[in-house]
Amino acid sequence: MTQTETRDRRLDPESCYRAVKSRDRRFDGVFYTAVRTTGIYCRPSCPARLPAFHNVTFHPSAAAAQSAGYRACKRCLPDATPGSPDWDVQASAAGRAMRLIADGVVDREGVDGLAQKVGYTSRHLTRILTAELGAGPLALARARRSQTARVLIETTDLTYADVAFAAGFSSIRQFNETVREVYASTPSELRGRRGGRPATGTITMRLAVRTPFSGQALLAFLAHHLVPGVEAAGPGWYARTLDLPHAPGTVRLEIVDAVEEGQTAFVTATFALEDLRDTSAAVERARRLVDADCDPLAVADHFHGDPVIGPLARRQPGLRVPGQVDGDETALCAVIGQQVSVAGACTVTGRLVVAHGRSVATEIPGLTHLFPRAETLAALDPEQLPMPRARGRALVGLAAALAAGDIALDRGPDRDGVRRALVALPGIGPWTADYVALRALAHPDVFLPTDIGVRNALVGLGHDPIEALARSGAWRPWRSYALMHLWNTLMPTSPMATPKEN
């Protein structure tokens, strides 16, 4: 049985039970198993004794299991799994809403704010989420808050009041009641089982990723595209500033390879936040950056036997598509980098950061500024920018559209609509729009057939570009990963350059 079969069958009980019986870790985060006799829900790979088939039910989300009255298993911690890769593959309204819920939109703007970003009424969005995920937006947000609270309780020595507000709860009472209901334990009992670490003004969390995980290739890509002042990197780590909803912050990621298939690995993330209410948003943005919800085995299975991408996927298992922490920043950097080398684009972007970004004090050498906001760049004279005039006008025009809300890159709107809006702007071509979809919108099925690097990679591999590109349709719905595999071959060891637009 494959994951696709389970998804297509809408959690067919027999298919799900076979996955539970085999303790297949690939299904962790795809569905959850609830046991009637114990009142507990688990991830499919839970090592506990297999329950009888007639005693279990299956749920598409942790929130659905919680809403049905089940508590999280204390052994397998089912709420700590990576998210479902379906949310990016299908890009349905439910998937887009889940990304925004994880970013804390419901906590900050309520259900009405979430619905507006997705493009539905709050009532209709609630119906969609309940039908697809088994729970409405409030229950889904509550599940996310409880998971964040548990991690903070178990891994930090923050006061319970700080934990409550960092996780997004509106009161200490709500925090206590939710923790007791979801985990059948008080906050004190959770902390007693796992010792905290001394509070130092920072929060360290582990971000779950499915294996294999090609962390070094991901780190090489990020390091090659560093924007001076905003990003920094070194052996095994990457760091950057974060422009968060309430206040600035930073994140430092420790990134290593994890090669054992079908397991859960972790990227260690250390956050320094001025306002703890930004915890959920900071965590979600770091997860986007490392493509945490990717299902690498499903991607590899799809490429198996393909004469072009198959050998590359076997050579570099677990390759990820690097994401972003701010969609506006990614789009603006893409425009700056049009028709120039990566090094040249980084240099120009660094100058703009120093001139127009907000200065921040950090404890990480090299991190000095936040990336300039769209409204700041929209007010500039394109004739005075350190780039060709046409590109300067394109940059200012895009910044104006982002600042006005005409284009939103928060992964809420429909991807096709965003692409149409981008290419309608002067100076924004298909390559740039698709690159934005690849990085900013986490689109798993983007391919750039006119990209010079793609052609060079195919020639270097001994393939005829015309013949190879003619079969690129067979790489759906994972063409973004095929693209990354091709770009990865251009680098002898680490830095992967993003080729110029053609």
Side-chain angles (χ1 to χ4, degrees), residues 133-216:
L133 298 173
L138 290 177
L140 291 164
R142 176 178 177 269
R144 172 66 65 172
R145 287 194 295 270
S146 64
Q147 193 272 336
T148 300
R150 180 186 59 76
V151 173
L152 293 175
I153 290 169
E154 295 180 347
T155 62
T156 76
D157 277 345
L158 292 173
T159 67
Y160 294 129
D162 284 342
V163 170
F165 293 116
F169 290 98
S170 59
S171 68
I172 301 296
R173 179 179 178 181
Q174 183 190 54
F175 159 70
N176 286 326
E177 291 177 349
T178 300
V179 169
R180 281 196 296 266
E181 183 177 343
V182 173
Y183 298 109
S185 300
T186 65
S188 296
E189 289 170 339
L190 285 178
R191 177 161 283 174
R193 280 195 296 272
R194 298 171 186 265
R197 60 188 64 182
T200 60
T202 63
I203 297 173
T204 298
M205 300 176 111
R206 298 193 306 166
L207 311 179
V209 296
R210 296 180 178 88
T211 58
F213 176 66
S214 184
Q216 289 304 303

Side-chain angles (χ1 to χ4, degrees), residues 35-357:
V35 186
R36 295 188 182 94
T37 52
T38 63
I40 291 173
Y41 74 94
C42 305
R43 61 174 75 190
S45 66
C46 183
R49 184 170 62 88
L50 180 70
F53 177 74
H54 61 271
N55 284 332
V56 297
T57 57
F58 302 100
H59 302 267
S61 66
Q66 292 172 16
S67 297
Y70 293 95
R71 304 185 307 274
C73 174
K74 298 174 183 177
R75 185 172 182 180
C76 70
L77 301 176
D79 57 339
T81 59
S84 172
D86 283 350
W87 297 340
D88 284 335
V89 176
Q90 298 174 1
S92 64
R96 301 199 307 272
M98 280 299 300
R99 296 304 187 197
L100 296 173
I101 290 170
D103 195 64
V105 168
V106 171
D107 300 331
R108 297 191 299 270
E109 304 177 33
V111 176
D112 288 342
L114 171 69
Q116 184 177 8
K117 288 180 178 293
V118 180
Y120 292 90
T121 65
S122 56
R123 179 176 296 181
H124 187 52
L125 180 61
T126 298
R127 285 198 296 265
I128 291 174
L129 290 173
T130 301
E132 293 196 27
L133 298 173
L138 290 177
L140 291 164
R142 176 178 177 269
R144 172 66 65 172
R145 287 194 295 270
S146 64
Q147 193 272 336
T148 300
R150 180 186 59 76
V151 173
L152 293 175
I153 290 169
E154 295 180 347
T155 62
T156 76
D157 277 345
L158 292 173
T159 67
Y160 294 129
D162 284 342
V163 170
F165 293 116
F169 290 98
S170 59
S171 68
I172 301 296
R173 179 179 178 181
Q174 183 190 54
F175 159 70
N176 286 326
E177 291 177 349
T178 300
V179 169
R180 281 196 296 266
E181 183 177 343
V182 173
Y183 298 109
S185 300
T186 65
S188 296
E189 289 170 339
L190 285 178
R191 177 161 283 174
R193 280 195 296 272
R194 298 171 186 265
R197 60 188 64 182
T200 60
T202 63
I203 297 173
T204 298
M205 300 176 111
R206 298 193 306 166
L207 311 179
V209 296
R210 296 180 178 88
T211 58
F213 176 66
S214 184
Q216 289 304 303
L218 173 70
L219 178 61
F221 184 97
L222 295 173
H224 191 63
H225 293 77
L226 288 181
V227 175
V230 175
E231 300 172 288
W237 64 272
Y238 164 87
R240 63 159 295 133
T241 57
L242 301 171
D243 193 356
L244 297 165
H246 296 101
T250 64
V251 60
R252 186 182 189 276
L253 302 173
E254 296 178 19
I255 304 175
V256 297
D257 287 337
V259 297
E260 186 175 357
E261 292 188 357
Q263 305 296 314
T264 299
F266 298 93
V267 172
T268 301
T270 301
F271 301 95
L273 306 175
E274 291 188 13
D275 193 319
L276 286 176
R277 291 176 296 173
D278 288 322
T279 301
S280 292
V283 171
E284 174 61 15
R285 296 174 195 197
R287 295 183 75 258
R288 295 178 197 165
L289 193 63
V290 300
D291 196 10
D293 293 334
C294 170
D295 182 353
L297 295 182
V299 176
D301 288 345
H302 186 74
F303 292 143
H304 181 74
D306 186 271
V308 179
I309 305 300
L312 302 181
R314 289 189 291 273
R315 185 185 311 165
Q316 190 74 62
L319 190 68
R320 295 305 204 262
V321 176
Q324 49 79 28
V325 300
D326 187 289
D328 290 5
E329 174 187 322
T330 300
L332 294 165
C333 286
V335 172
I336 295 171
Q338 291 180 120
Q339 301 293 345
V340 296
S341 67
V342 174
C346 291
T347 298
V348 171
T349 307
R351 293 173 184 168
L352 289 176
V353 166
V354 172
H356 305 290

